[in-house]
Every structure is written in C-alpha cells, then in structure tokens.
Amino acid sequence: MKKTLPLILIIALLLFGLQECRTSSNNEKPDTRKTLSLQNIDSSVKPGDNFFLYANGKWYDTATILPTESRSGARLEMDYRTKANIKRILEEASSSNNPKGSIEQKIGDLYASGMDSATIENLEYEPVKPFLQHIDSIKNAEDIMKFVADQWSYYNPLIIGQFVTPDDKNSTRNFVVYYQSGLGLPDRDYYFKNDPATLAVVKAYQSYIIRLFILTGDDSATSAKKMNTVYSLEKQMASSHRTNVELRDPQKNYNKISVSDANKKMPVIGWKDFLVDLHVKTDSFNLAQPEYYTKLNELLNTIPIASWKVYLRFHLLDDVSSSLSNDFVQADFNYYNQALNGQKKIKERWERVYGVIDANIGEGLGQLYVNKYFSEDAKKRIQELVNNLQKAFEARIDKLDWMSDSTKKKAKEKLYTFHKKVGYPDKWRDYSNITIDRHNYFNDLMSCGKNEYDYEVNKIGKPVDPAEWGMTPPTNNAYYNPTGNEIVFPAGILQFPMFDAEADDAMNYGGIGMVIGHEMTHGFDDQGAQYDKNGNLKDWWMKEDYEKFKAKGEQVIKLYDSFTVLDSLHVNGRLTQGENTADLGGIAIAYDAFKLTKEGKDTSRIDGFTPDQRFFLSFAQSWRRKVTDASLRQQVATDPHSPSIYRVLAPLMNFTPFYTAFNVKEGDKMFVPEDKRINIW
C-alpha cells in the first residue's frame, strides 16, 4: 500500500512540492496579475551577503510550521489551494449519482469508503487477517517466496524490489528491474550510524515495530522480542545495500542476467518459479544490486523460518497500517511523520484519503482536475518558454570553451530530441478493471493495487509507450527521464509563484523558467550525460571532453560539501551532484532565455526593481521554504536535492549576471572571484 519510488529509479525528480495557485476555471478570467511578494524582502540584508534572506527574510523570521506539517513556504501555500480544489472535486463525486463504472463513480466511492471511519474503526485489523493466516502457514523458503509473490499481486512489496521501466540499453523496450529492498529505516546507513539524531529515529522505528505487534495481540515482552528479530534481520540485509551515493551510478546499476543464471546463483530464491508466481514473462532481467539478492538468498537459507514469519508479519502490517483502524494509523504517523519529519499532528482524514486516491487512480482524478482548473492558455505559454529555453541552451553549448565541436554537435542533437510533456497526458489511463465499493475501503485498495500491478507487468517485453507519464497531472513537481529523454511538467507545478499566464516575463522565467532549465540540464548532469539522444546508456562523448566534464563535477561536489546545514551536518555534495548541476545550469539557461524576450532587453523598473532584479527575486521567492530539523536531517541523509537556501545561494554565487544586477562586490559573503565561478552548462 505504501507506494514509493525505488532509490535507483533514474528519473531526476525535481522535488519542489509546489502546488495549485490559480482557482479560475477555463471559462473564467484570472483575478489579478501576480507579482513579487514585496513584503517578504528584508532590505536590512545585503543582497550579496545572503540573497535567500534578502528576498525572503521578513517571511522567514515570522514563518511558523503548522503542527500538521514538517515545512512551510511557497510549497505549502500552493498545496492548500490545490487541495481545496481537489476537495471540491472529491466531495462532488462522492455525493453525486454517477454512472457505475465511470471514473467519477470510482473516485467518489473510493473517497466515500476512505472517509467511512466508523466502519474502518470497527474492523480494526480484521481485513488483513487472511494475509496473516497465510504467513502462519509458511513452512519453508519456497513458501516465503510464494507469499511474497502473492503480496506483490496486490502491489504490496515485501523483500523484493521490482519495477518496470525502459531498458537502459534498449530504451524502446520495457524491462523488469529488481532492486535492493527489505528495510524499514530510510536507508542502510541508519543501521550503522551512532549519532544521537540517527539513534532517535532508530528508537522510534523499534517502538513502531513493537506497537504493531501489540495491536495484533502480542504482549509487551513478546513484542519486544519480535522487534529484535525484525531489526536484526533488517540489519543483515542493510549490510548488503549500496549507499545512496553508490546508487547514483547507472552503469553499476545495470546488471542484466538470464533467469536460468539467476536461478543457479540464487537457488533458494528460486527465480524461475518465483517469476512464474509473479506473472512476469521474461528470459532475463536487470538485477540492479546483485549484492542484496546474494545476501537475501543466503538469509533465506540460514535464518529460521519462524524469524522470517515474524519479519513478514511486521512488514505486511507496516504496508497496510495507514488503511486500518485509528490505532494503526496513529502508530504509522508516529514513525513516518513525527519521528522522520518532525510533524506534530496528523493531517485531516480527507487529505490522507486524497493522497491514496492520487496514488491509485491519479490520472482519473487528474482528468477531472485539469478539466476544471487548468487553463489551455497556461499550457501554450509554457510550451513557448520550453522552446525559448532550448534555444538559449543551444547558444550556451555553442559558447562552451571546454567542449569540442564533435561533442557539442551530439549534445545539441540530444537537446532537440527532448520529448516535451506539459500539463497532462495526451491519453488517459484506463481504470476499468478496478472495482470500488463505497463500503469496503480495504478491498478497494486491494483492487487498486492489483490493477496497478497487472498494468506494470503487462508492459514487460513490450514497446515503450512514449505517451506514458510518471506523475499525475495535479502533482506539483517535474522530472527528466533519461531513458525517454523527456522533460515533464504536470499542471500542478504550472502555477504562481512558479508560473502565472498573466505574469510578466521576469516572474515566469525566474520561476518556472529555472525549473525548465533545471530539467533540461538533468539530461546533461552526471547521470543524464551517460544516456544518448535515444535514451540509451551509451557513451556519446569525446574522451577528453568527458574528463573535463567530470573535473567540473568535482568542483560542484566540493562547493556543496562546504555548506553547513545543522550544527556540524553538511550537505553531501556527491549525493546531490546531479541536482546541484541542474540548478547551476537551470538558472543560467533561464536567464539567457529571459534576455531573448522584450522585457529581458528592457531596463524599465517595476516596484523599483529592474527586469534582471525581478528575475532573480522571482527565482529566490519561489524557493521560500522553512522545514523542521528532523525533516532537514533526513533530507541530507537520503535526498539528492540540497536544502532550498543552497539551491538559491550556490547558483547565484556562480552566475555573473547576478553580480551585475545587485552590485555584488569583493567582500560580500556570496562573492566568488570570476575565474573561480563554476560554469558547466
């Protein structure tokens, strides 16, 4: 039930979390022209000392994080407006007499079943008992793998990580990938670090394990013993996991193996029979992190079956806990939201149910959303921006002094073969196989999970559908997908302060323009640069050029390693290298594209600021964000994105037009000598 992207999914997601701002329908005119938040500017801060605080300081000093959140800022303000629109859609669908089988009926009835807290509360954990009884009947490793396959058929992942994606070396065909899995903590390092912050998370996780066992009938002593069994087994699994930094290497994550060879090397897993049980029809697959599966094969052979049954019982309950009665929901919240992110209070039920609907029938909900709240004018304006940024990027490639003409030619070919997706898909997902009963939430989710699993496995070995999207339309995010060589901008991110169809060019190019440039640059970051124009993991560089590129990457790593986040905690420059490279390129490409516009060539002031100054202020204000310490610590440990403040400061420190716009001089804290400024793209 807990659907998360695998760590090795090489889609460079841009994690803004910015959501809907505009509330006008397609037939209504926008209310007012959007502009800078002048009240947030702190003129007591010198722009060249800390531009993030100059642009946002007055807001930052007074901003509070609500108890139901782990952050505040532009993201949350936009989230609330989008969710208000979504709530209206859900309530209308659930209260209407929609035709049976229609997407409105499925969305409305799923919302109704999720909101039926009285029925869910009375059932406690009754819905999951048949699965628990299945675990009780397990007698050997073969039974374990059959149970795991059965749970995967409902999209409940246990010990095996599986996803279907274009083959990295044959991007026109879908391929099945198996990646490292099995842990309950955010990543492997949590099992081996001994700092107080990490130990506090580990303690909360262990308490969570104990609590789930108690809620299903065990006493405290027995639950504590079972917790030790689960945690010990996970720690052994974690020892075989690659680190988050190691997972950034797509070449090392490509390990194609035949089913017969895998079966011989890992006979206890029994790949041949296991894939049959999974309904996976293939003669080969990508064993992305072989070390984990070698270890899993060993553990299945050496760990007592009784211990495995304890492990499976907990992880099954963990997967479904948020869909059970309130005691389970609260236990889930205490660990995932409170301990990991510092959130103090659980969100309202409707908002949690909305998240479930988006995860399970999101394109159906997205279809209703864009029909009502997304303007076609906005889509056209974004497409214009994308095209202008391509031109600006091409010009920057032509001017590079470190790249040969041969590599420049191939880089521009890749740039102009980008598949550009804006707003929403050209064709919508079919959810006809899902059965929704407004009185049976758990079974509804099982039906959704089965539909999603069948949809995924049926793609294996078949041609890639270039029209498929990896995000739902209301999602406030964007991504670059290297195997599709595509940049994708859902409707949810195409709103103020990132974008407004009525806003001036300085606002839009500083906001969404930077996002577009960021995603384009992902095609040429440390990971994306390893894929050719067709999306294949293939070397297309002149050797000397690639060595220069890697050397510049080391400069990026060194710079971000120097940034302190909390106390002695630093940004991990190597983990965040790709996103940082995209930020550096994104602001430069967006600015160059802005200078191609009429306003970009002008010097007229608005609210006392030149067009260039407004461009940079728009950029900084769109990144306005404040987060809890717990959330920040987890971000640094696991997230390939740097904290927002450094996503503003570092690109500007290395961009000369910013120096000119705000008269940044030597002695200012952000000043970097011109010959030391990092310029990759």
Side-chain angles (χ1 to χ4, degrees), residues 17 65 69-73 75-76 79 347 625-628:
I65 299 173
E69 309 294 344
S70 60
R71 80 281 187 202
S72 63
R75 166 179 185 167
L76 215 53
D79 274 352
K347 293 182 185 295
R625 195 175 192 223
K626 193 173 189 176
V627 300
T628 64

Side-chain angles (χ1 to χ4, degrees), residues 301-505:
N301 194 44
T302 58
I303 298 295
I305 296 300
S307 297
W308 273 112
K309 289 163 75 170
V310 170
Y311 169 92
L312 291 172
R313 186 179 183 90
F314 163 70
H315 277 281
L316 173 64
L317 291 168
D318 173 43
D319 278 351
V320 303
S321 58
S322 59
S323 62
L324 300 177
S325 61
N326 188 63
D327 286 342
F328 290 90
V329 171
Q330 191 63 47
D332 180 279
F333 167 80
N334 290 345
Y335 169 56
Y336 285 104
N337 299 90
Q338 191 170 62
L340 289 181
N341 291 302
Q343 185 178 327
K344 296 177 181 178
K345 185 179 178 181
I346 197 166
K347 293 182 185 295
E348 291 184 41
R349 186 172 193 90
W350 78 264
E351 194 171 342
R352 289 180 274 132
V353 175
Y354 153 52
V356 171
I357 294 172
D358 186 63
N360 286 282
I361 48 178
E363 277 199 19
L365 179 60
Q367 189 173 356
L368 303 184
Y369 173 82
V370 299
N371 286 343
K372 197 167 186 178
Y373 296 111
F374 183 62
S375 164
E376 286 302 310
D377 289 340
K379 184 171 184 174
K380 292 177 183 176
R381 184 86 185 273
I382 288 295
Q383 289 169 333
E384 291 175 4
L385 264 73
V386 172
N387 293 337
N388 285 345
L389 264 85
Q390 275 185 308
K391 295 175 185 176
F393 202 165
E394 178 185 19
R396 292 191 69 84
I397 291 172
D398 283 334
K399 295 175 183 176
L400 293 177
D401 59 6
W402 58 270
M403 182 180 282
S404 68
D405 289 342
S406 174
T407 304
K408 284 181 181 179
K409 180 181 177 182
K410 292 180 180 179
K412 288 187 289 185
E413 287 174 355
K414 181 173 183 179
L415 173 67
Y416 278 103
T417 52
F418 277 157
H419 297 281
K420 297 170 279 191
K421 298 179 178 179
V422 175
Y424 53 87
D426 293 329
K427 64 178 182 179
W428 297 101
R429 279 277 303 271
D430 176 14
Y431 295 106
S432 58
N433 290 332
I434 293 176
T435 301
I436 302 295
D437 177 353
R438 67 190 291 126
H439 303 294
N440 199 327
Y441 187 51
F442 191 86
N443 281 3
D444 289 347
L445 296 185
M446 292 298 101
S447 180
C448 288
K450 190 175 188 310
N451 177 75
E452 188 66 23
Y453 182 74
D454 291 345
Y455 175 79
E456 289 296 318
V457 297
N458 285 335
K459 293 190 295 185
I460 297 171
K462 295 179 181 177
V464 170
D465 181 359
E468 187 177 31
W469 279 50
M471 287 179 178
T472 62
T475 303
N476 184 9
N477 212 324
Y479 66 91
Y480 168 77
N481 173 19
T483 54
N485 195 28
E486 61 184 8
I487 49 177
V488 186
F489 307 97
I493 198 173
L494 304 181
Q495 296 128 32
F496 184 84
M498 281 293 160
F499 170 78
D500 188 278
E502 298 300 314
D504 59 276
D505 285 332

Side-chain angles (χ1 to χ4, degrees), residues 624-659:
R624 172 169 45 88
R625 195 175 192 223
K626 193 173 189 176
V627 300
T628 64
D629 286 356
S631 181
L632 198 54
R633 289 184 186 280
Q634 186 187 184
Q635 179 181 354
V636 171
T638 64
D639 195 330
H641 302 80
S642 295
S644 292
I645 186 171
Y646 298 115
R647 299 191 72 172
V648 172
L649 298 184
L652 298 184
M653 289 166 59
N654 290 280
F655 194 50
T656 299
F658 165 71
Y659 285 67

